[in-house]
């Protein structure tokens, strides 16, 4: 008779299955065939720095997830067609008007589909947040020097993602075929035509004929919903792969060197934080979609080439381009039987090309100018690189002035000024702003370098008087947020041992690169 006993209670059966139960058994079976345990453990032990600025990229990632989810919902109801129909939907002010099927289906999504307006506005807000998070994240990367060797490729991928996000945002809000988006499409057609030699061919190829045509909405739909998102997904995957492969950069501090990474491990600390952050981003986007109106196309009406609305600007990320087109002088070149509209080509093609190409080349430019060929994992404080910081602020000043210039008509009307006066004022400010911002920023950085504790609030002195009449000055305690709250790093062991008698550690670890 065998001495082996078969567990006959549920508790005994669970104990026999081990601490991870059936899930652990299934993973063991999978590991026996694919050998994923070692890579999984390495990934779960990946260290993430605890600084708040590293969460900016996650806002972009989670906004993109929201874009994908809401975009699938909208795709089920949107009709990408320029064919005209008579509107007889739920929005009575438009009843009986001739509109395109694209416009008709978008209005029906907003008023006839349950939850349609919420999802549509969440989709639009998520796009604005997505582009904004990329911009702020890349600004952090730029000003802290995180683009330096060996991360130049990831910098290039990030810039490409920004360009694709801007382009796909434009394609997305062009689909409803309302008066605002139709005007934007007409401007895009003019920009294409302004390119020398190939402009007319390019515009004819994209639009399938002369403007407005009937093919542009279906083509934009395919680009917006299929081609560009797939490219973005591929680049996001490459970006995250390089992030895991090269490990995170980190700010200077106790226990942090060029040879290690100090922070929280992927599991369980970072995984819990990032899941909560996903819910926060999703909840904030849902609140915006529910309570903050955006792009009410039923108020603009369907696109008509003979009409244009007052006080209409594109989404914020296209504001600099709109402002450049508004303030540039009406220059053109006529010769050889052709007219070259410089007032469109220079601000809408040449200027963005210079800006983005300068950003792409910046790691190489800085490397050549400084002669720095070392590998960097520790980040710079912006004040310690005054030339780089001043150049970045000058660029942002230029873009900010162009963004403000996109509302010249609103400024002129609100302040009761001549539109020409506002245009000339913005032209001067656009040119002067970067030249003013650079030396001021450079001077501030140099001043901060020479002052210990610069950038932190100064604690006041408490002045008291003794009974003898003597005045005494006593420093007050430091502000709570100025205290050092960083957890002390702990080396990750080469193997895991169960130590039930020891108290739980803080969760902060240090691993070799």
């Amino acid at each position: 008779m065998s001495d082996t006993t078969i567990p006959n209670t549920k508790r005994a059966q669970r104990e026999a299955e081990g601490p991870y139960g059936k899930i652990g058994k299934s993973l063991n079976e999978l590991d026996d065939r694919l050998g994923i345990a070692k890579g999984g453990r390495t990934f779960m032990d990946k260290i993430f720095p605890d600084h708040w600025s590293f969460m900016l990229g996650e806002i972009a990632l989670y906004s993109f997830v929201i874009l994908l989810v809401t975009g699938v919902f909208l795709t089920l109801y949107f009709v990408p067609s320029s064919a005209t129909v008579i509107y007889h939907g739920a929005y009575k002010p438009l009843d009986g008007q001739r509109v395109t099927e694209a416009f008709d289906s978008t209005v029906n999504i907003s008023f006839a589909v349950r939850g349609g307006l919420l999802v549509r506005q969440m989709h639009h807000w998520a796009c604005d947040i997505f582009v904004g998070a990329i911009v702020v994240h890349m600004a952090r990367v730029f000003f802290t020097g995180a683009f330096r060797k060996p991360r130049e490729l990831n910098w290039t991928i990030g810039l490409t993602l920004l360009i694709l996000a801007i382009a796909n945002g434009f394609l997305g809000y062009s689909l409803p075929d309302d008066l605002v988006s139709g005007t934007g499409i007409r401007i895009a057609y003019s920009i294409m035509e302004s390119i020398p030699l190939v402009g007319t061919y390019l515009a004819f190829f994209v639009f399938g004929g002369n403007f407005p045509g009937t093919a542009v909405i279906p083509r934009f739909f395919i680009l917006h919903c299929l081609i560009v998102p797939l490219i973005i997904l591929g680049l996001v995957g490459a970006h995250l792969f390089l992030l895991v492969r090269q490990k995170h950069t980190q700010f200077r501090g106790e226990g942090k060197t060029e040879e290690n990474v100090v922070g929280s491990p992927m599991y369980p600390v970072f995984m819990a934080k990032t899941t909560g952050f996903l819910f926060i981003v999703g909840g904030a986007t849902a609140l915006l979609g529910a309570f903050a109106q955006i792009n009410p196309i039923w108020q603009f009406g369907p696109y008509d080439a003979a009409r244009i609305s007052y006080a209409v600007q594109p989404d914020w990320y296209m504001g600099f381009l709109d402002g450049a087109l508004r303030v540039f002088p009406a220059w053109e070149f006529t010769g050889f039987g052709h007219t070259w509209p410089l007032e469109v080509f220079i601000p809408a093609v040449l200027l963005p090309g210079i800006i983005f190409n300068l950003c792409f080349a910046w790691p190489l430019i800085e490397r050549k100018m400084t002669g720095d060929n070392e590998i960097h994992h520790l980040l710079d404080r912006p004040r310690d690189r005054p030339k780089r910081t001043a150049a970045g602020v000058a660029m942002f000043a230029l873009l900010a002035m162009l963004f403000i210039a996109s509302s010249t008509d609103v400024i002129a009307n609100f302040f009761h000024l001549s539109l020409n006066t506002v245009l000339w004022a913005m032209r001067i400010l656009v040119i002067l702003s970067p030249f003013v911002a650079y030396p001021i920023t450079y001077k501030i950085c140099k001043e901060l370098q020479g002052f210990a504790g610069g950038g932190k609030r100064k604690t006041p002195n408490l002045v008291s008087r003794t009974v003898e009449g003597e005045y005494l000055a006593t420093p007050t305690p430091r502000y709570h947020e100025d205290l050092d709250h960083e957890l002390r790093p702990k080396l990750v062991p080469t193997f895991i041992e169960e130590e039930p008698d020891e108290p739980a550690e803080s969760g902060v670890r240090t691993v070799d690169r």
Side-chain angles (χ1 to χ4, degrees), residues 84-101:
T84 57
V85 295
I86 303 299
Y87 180 80
H88 293 294
Y91 188 67
K92 294 306 179 183
L94 286 174
D95 189 61
Q97 291 197 31
R98 185 178 297 276
V99 299
T100 61
E101 286 188 298

Side-chain angles (χ1 to χ4, degrees), residues 187 191 317-326 347-349 352 402-403 406:
I187 295 173
I191 292 173
Y317 47 84
M318 298 293 291
F320 80 99
L321 189 63
D322 187 20
L325 284 167
R326 289 180 184 231
V349 179
L402 290 175
F403 177 81
S406 67

Side-chain angles (χ1 to χ4, degrees), residues 456-462 474-480 482:
K456 294 184 178 180
R457 290 189 298 171
K458 299 172 180 60
T459 57
N461 288 331
L462 180 62
T474 306
T476 58
R478 293 174 62 189
Y479 293 107
H480 176 74
D482 291 337

Side-chain angles (χ1 to χ4, degrees), residues 38 72 123 131 217 270 378 381 413 419 451 488:
K38 182 179 179 181
V72 170
H123 188 75
V131 181
I217 297 297
F270 181 78
L378 290 177
R381 301 175 74 180
N413 184 62
L419 181 60
F451 178 71
R488 296 185 179 276

Side-chain angles (χ1 to χ4, degrees), residues 297-311:
I297 64 166
W298 53 90
Q299 295 181 7
F300 306 144
Y303 176 66
D304 185 343
R307 299 177 182 175
I308 190 169
S309 297
Y310 161 72

Side-chain angles (χ1 to χ4, degrees), residues 371-400:
D372 183 5
N373 295 316
E374 299 296 324
I375 291 178
H376 294 277
H377 300 301
L378 290 177
L379 298 174
D380 293 327
R381 301 175 74 180
R383 73 182 67 171
D384 295 332
R385 294 291 183 267
K387 293 181 180 179
R388 178 205 298 155
T389 302
V393 172
M395 179 62 72
F396 274 109
L398 171 65
L399 295 175

